[in-house]
Amino acid sequence: HAANPTLPGTPGLPVTVLPAERASPRDLLGKELVILTDVRLETGPRGEPALPSEVTRALGTFVQEGKSLLIIAGPRVVPTSYN
């Protein structure tokens, strides 16, 4: 996995990968870094899935606690929803 490159037979970092729409606030427990890659914050015009609003709120608390959030934009991202 590109976010966790390792050599065969060596332990890697604990990485959890899941679709944004399946995320929940409990997925943040014990994490120090969240990477959102091409994630919508609002449902798209054709019903495209988005990060649940309770996760968006939990990410605010996550960052206020001093943990890290990396946002990588892509074609599904609506920049104004991130303001």
Side-chain angles (χ1 to χ4, degrees), residues 60-71:
T61 302
F62 182 85
V63 171
Q64 289 173 348
E65 291 173 349
K67 298 175 182 175
S68 300
L69 172 62
L70 173 62
I71 300 168

Side-chain angles (χ1 to χ4, degrees), residues 25-80:
R26 71 178 168 273
D27 293 317
L28 302 176
L29 297 175
K31 304 295 190 287
E32 294 295 322
L33 169 65
V34 172
I35 301 173
L36 299 180
T37 304
D38 196 17
V39 173
R40 286 184 168 276
L41 296 185
E42 299 170 350
T43 302
R46 289 181 227 99
E48 298 93 340
L51 192 68
S53 58
E54 63 270 12
V55 176
T56 303
R57 287 189 296 277
L59 282 170
T61 302
F62 182 85
V63 171
Q64 289 173 348
E65 291 173 349
K67 298 175 182 175
S68 300
L69 172 62
L70 173 62
I71 300 168
I72 301 172
R76 290 181 286 218
V77 169
V78 178
T80 56

